[in-house]
Amino acid sequence: MGVELREVTAADVLAFFEHQRDPEAVRMAAFTSADPSDRAAFLVRWARILADDSAVARTVVFDGEVVGHVARFTRFGEPEVTYWIDREHWGKGLATAGLELFLRSEPRRPLYARAAVDNLGSLRVLEKCGFVAVGEDVGFAEGRGEDVEEFILRLDR
């Protein structure tokens, strides 16, 4: 069956909430919400994402199971992608497959992405999908409670 993308459903958002509560995943992602256990805030954030006509969000499904999401939104006036895969499924190529599928249907270029400099898995996913580091930034990362360096990456093709 493999990896598929689909429209996000309310049930998917509840699965996303459970995925992002994993402490190790939160630490790796770094730039997360201040309180990953705050279900109400999470649902409000996703309601805003899904109501935003300028954003596109898709559920990543693997062998019939919701394993994460991928999305494009506007940040600092530029289109940026983000994704999250449940830690139980890390190392299986699902983030790369999901992002590749998403990029095939997303015509906007350039596209940007950001990842903590020590998030080697995410950086590999972005590089495999054609993103190239074009800058660096430092920002407060709620998931770590400290300032964290991040790479800014761009996809031109």
Side-chain angles (χ1 to χ4, degrees):
M1 190 171 191
V3 174
E4 302 173 58
L5 297 183
R6 70 168 189 228
E7 297 282 332
V8 176
T9 68
D12 296 343
V13 173
L14 295 176
F16 303 162
F17 175 72
E18 293 303 320
H19 298 164
Q20 63 88 45
R21 292 179 64 213
D22 180 287
E24 185 176 334
V26 168
R27 178 162 179 14
M28 188 58 62
F31 297 92
T32 63
S33 64
D35 182 2
S37 67
D38 187 341
R39 186 173 189 253
F42 185 85
L43 295 176
V44 166
R45 189 175 109 233
W46 267 94
R48 277 196 312 265
I49 292 167
L50 295 174
D52 182 349
D53 290 337
S54 70
V56 176
R58 297 290 179 262
T59 298
V60 179
V61 178
F62 176 64
D63 287 343
E65 179 184 351
V66 173
V67 297
H69 66 270
V70 60
R72 184 211 11 99
F73 60 96
T74 301
R75 183 172 181 192
F76 305 121
E78 299 288 351
E80 186 169 311
V81 295
T82 186
Y83 50 89
W84 189 289
I85 298 295
D86 181 19
R87 186 167 64 95
E88 180 180 317
H89 296 282
W90 287 2
K92 299 177 182 177
L94 304 183
T96 301
L99 184 56
E100 285 175 340
L101 284 172
F102 185 82
L103 293 173
R104 285 185 207 144
S105 65
E106 173 54 50
R108 293 183 189 210
R109 300 292 186 271
L111 276 175
Y112 291 86
R114 292 171 174 255
V117 297
D118 61 350
N119 188 342
L120 301 180
S122 192
L123 291 168
R124 276 193 300 270
V125 167
L126 292 164
E127 289 169 3
K128 286 179 188 177
C129 290
F131 284 82
V132 176
V134 294
E136 294 182 34
D137 198 4
V138 175
F140 186 77
E142 295 285 357
R144 298 186 188 178
E146 64 187 14
D147 284 341
V148 171
E149 294 179 46
E150 64 182 338
F151 286 121
I152 302 167
L153 300 101
R154 185 177 67 218
L155 176 68
D156 290 316
R157 60 171 176 85

